[in-house]
Amino acid sequence: MPVSCGGVESFINTLCEEDSKLGVKNTVLTLHPNPEKHPIEMDGYTVHQAKQNLFVASTGFSLSAFGKFKKLANEADIIHYHFPNPFADMLHMACSPKKPCIVTYHSDIIKQKHLLHLYRPLKRCFLNSIDHIVSTSPNYFVSSDVLQQYADKVSVIPIGIDHRPYKTVDSKRLNYWRSRLQEPFFLFVGAIRYYKGLHIALEAISGTKIRIAIAGINGIEEELKAQAASLQLNNVDFLGFVNDEDKVALLHLCYGFIFPSHLRSEAFGISLLEAATVGKPLISCEIGTGTTFVNAANETGLVINPGSPSDLREAMQYLLDNPDTAFKMGDNAKKRSRELFAAERQARLYFELYIKLLEEKNK
């Protein structure tokens, strides 16, 4: 499987599992430092791994992938890319597959601004040659300068998740966390990265009785723990990695869900969807991305200014002081997640797009 398992990998897994039920045969090509010699059979798709020879600026590169990609592309009816991934752009331009090609545009390139100048010509050629581009939210489509350049071939298909695993909770895990954590508390779940705004959350609860629990690893957790110690916080719990059963238990147990990501590197926020599907009120920042599509301001939760500890503090305190409003927002979040962000809906919309592209190519 992939070296990492983040939002894009989760997206691919969910889409393949669901659209296979509609009759789509999915083949996934990925890179790995120690690839399996034979294809890996998953639920709804087959994974082919190519040897990753180099990893630079969050991008893997592989010599063997060119041959594997060309072979698999010749066997496919449609090729589905995910952006940003400069190496995928290289594969596409080098092999020039004569098949309908679409790309799911997950995010603009935010962090590698200097390298972006070198990459821009390749990116432009790649996106020019693609038949169709999918944005994961209308908010991101409107706010992305890149997507606006290709508006005539962009459609919006929101990310969906399988809601079934979140409906029931393991009572033993629920009781374990109830004994360990002091209620009420606000929860964050996700990879602990620089753009998640968790340093802002720690400042927000400094000098208050508001409690937060942070579940996740990968990145700057030690820096956050040092910050918490310097602020002398006794109202934050660092939970580290939690498995799926514990995550569901924590989502059911928490009072509300905070998602203080303050930079556009946060393109959507699947964790917000997970909290919404169990009916929790949400707090997120207005950063012009899909987070505000998931969390509709004053309907499913509160949307605040990015980078503001005081705004986050006030939002958490407001929900604590107004439990009826918090409950109503959580109920609205659950309904909205069922209507717009179901895995079945996402798969159906992609399936219809695949059929449309094939019909247009065969005219």
Side-chain angles (χ1 to χ4, degrees):
M1 294 309 297
V3 179
S4 64
C5 190
V8 175
E9 292 84 359
S10 174
F11 168 91
I12 293 170
N13 179 70
T14 300
L15 178 60
C16 289
E17 286 183 350
E18 288 299 323
D19 71 12
S20 69
K21 300 173 185 177
L22 300 174
V24 179
K25 182 182 178 181
N26 298 288
T27 302
V28 176
L29 175 61
T30 186
L31 307 186
H32 199 284
N34 300 297
E36 295 288 340
K37 293 182 179 179
H38 303 288
I40 305 167
E41 294 299 328
M42 304 293 291
D43 185 10
Y45 59 105
T46 303
V47 177
H48 294 255
Q49 294 182 333
K51 172 72 174 179
Q52 179 176 287
N53 304 113
L54 185 65
F55 189 80
V56 179
S58 302
T59 302
F61 296 87
S62 166
L63 293 175
S64 64
F66 288 91
K68 286 181 178 288
F69 175 78
K70 192 166 187 176
K71 180 179 182 297
L72 294 173
N74 287 335
E75 298 171 354
D77 296 309
I78 292 176
I79 301 170
H80 188 162
Y81 300 99
H82 296 270
F83 184 97
N85 184 354
F87 183 65
D89 302 12
M90 292 174 61
L91 287 177
H92 176 80
M93 299 309 298
C95 299
S96 299
K98 308 302 181 186
K99 305 291 177 71
C101 297
I102 77 167
V103 61
T104 297
Y105 192 100
H106 293 276
S107 171
D108 295 330
I109 294 177
I110 305 298
K111 189 177 182 181
Q112 286 86 14
K113 292 183 178 179
H114 298 297
L115 292 175
L116 179 59
H117 294 294
L118 298 175
Y119 168 55
R120 187 173 286 115
L122 174 60
K123 179 188 73 172
R124 186 180 298 113
C125 290
F126 171 69
L127 293 175
N128 284 342
S129 68
I130 293 296
D131 296 292
H132 196 84
I133 302 172
V134 177
S135 174
T136 57
S137 73
N139 304 53
Y140 212 97
F141 173 40
V142 170
S143 66
S144 169
D145 291 338
V146 175
L147 287 178
Q148 287 301 304
Q149 296 173 34
Y150 300 95
D152 60 336
K153 60 178 181 180
V154 174
S155 61
V156 175
I157 300 179
I159 291 176
I161 62 171
D162 183 355
H163 293 94
R164 291 170 297 179
Y166 301 91
K167 290 181 179 180
T168 57
V169 58
D170 186 314
S171 59
K172 290 183 180 179
R173 302 317 299 162
L174 188 66
N175 290 333
Y176 167 79
W177 288 112
R178 183 169 280 139
S179 67
R180 178 174 167 181
L181 300 174
Q182 183 178 327
E183 298 178 73
F185 67 91
F186 289 88
L187 178 68
F188 168 88
V189 177
I192 301 180
R193 297 192 173 114
Y194 71 96
Y195 57 84
K196 296 291 184 178
L198 292 170
H199 61 292
I200 299 163
L202 296 182
E203 289 185 46
I205 64 170
S206 179
T208 77
K209 295 182 179 181
I210 301 171
R211 300 198 64 86
I212 63 173
I214 298 173
I217 56 174
N218 190 21
I220 61 169
E221 58 265 34
E222 293 305 319
E223 294 176 31
L224 292 173
K225 289 178 181 178
Q227 180 188 0
S230 69
L231 293 172
Q232 299 182 325
L233 299 181
N234 60 6
N235 50 344
V236 57
D237 292 285
F238 291 95
L239 309 182
F241 170 80
V242 296
N243 61 28
D244 288 342
E245 291 78 12
D246 284 321
K247 178 175 67 175
V248 172
L250 287 164
L251 287 168
H252 279 269
L253 187 61
C254 73
Y255 186 86
F257 192 84
I258 60 169
F259 203 67
S261 297
H262 61 303
L263 301 173
R264 277 180 61 82
S265 299
E266 188 67 74
F268 192 84
I270 290 179
S271 296
L272 280 173
L273 280 186
E274 294 177 320
T277 200
V278 301
K280 297 300 176 177
L282 312 172
I283 301 175
S284 60
C285 299
E286 179 54 84
I287 51 177
T289 72
T291 60
T292 314
F293 182 54
V294 177
N295 182 21
N298 303 318
E299 177 186 344
T300 62
L302 301 174
V303 178
I304 61 174
N305 293 318
S308 173
S310 61
D311 282 7
L312 180 56
R313 181 187 309 118
E314 291 172 9
M316 289 188 288
Q317 193 62 57
Y318 175 82
L319 292 180
L320 289 169
D321 292 341
N322 296 275
D324 290 342
T325 299
F327 177 84
K328 180 63 175 176
M329 286 179 170
D331 192 48
N332 290 341
K334 181 185 289 188
K335 292 176 182 176
R336 183 175 172 83
S337 71
R338 297 289 194 271
E339 293 170 1
L340 295 178
F341 306 113
E344 300 88 347
R345 180 176 186 267
Q346 173 187 255
R348 176 174 50 80
L349 292 173
Y350 270 103
F351 180 77
E352 292 171 355
L353 177 58
Y354 293 157
I355 296 300
K356 179 183 176 183
L357 290 174
L358 283 174
E359 290 175 346
E360 290 175 352
K361 203 75 170 180
N362 293 327
K363 282 183 180 179

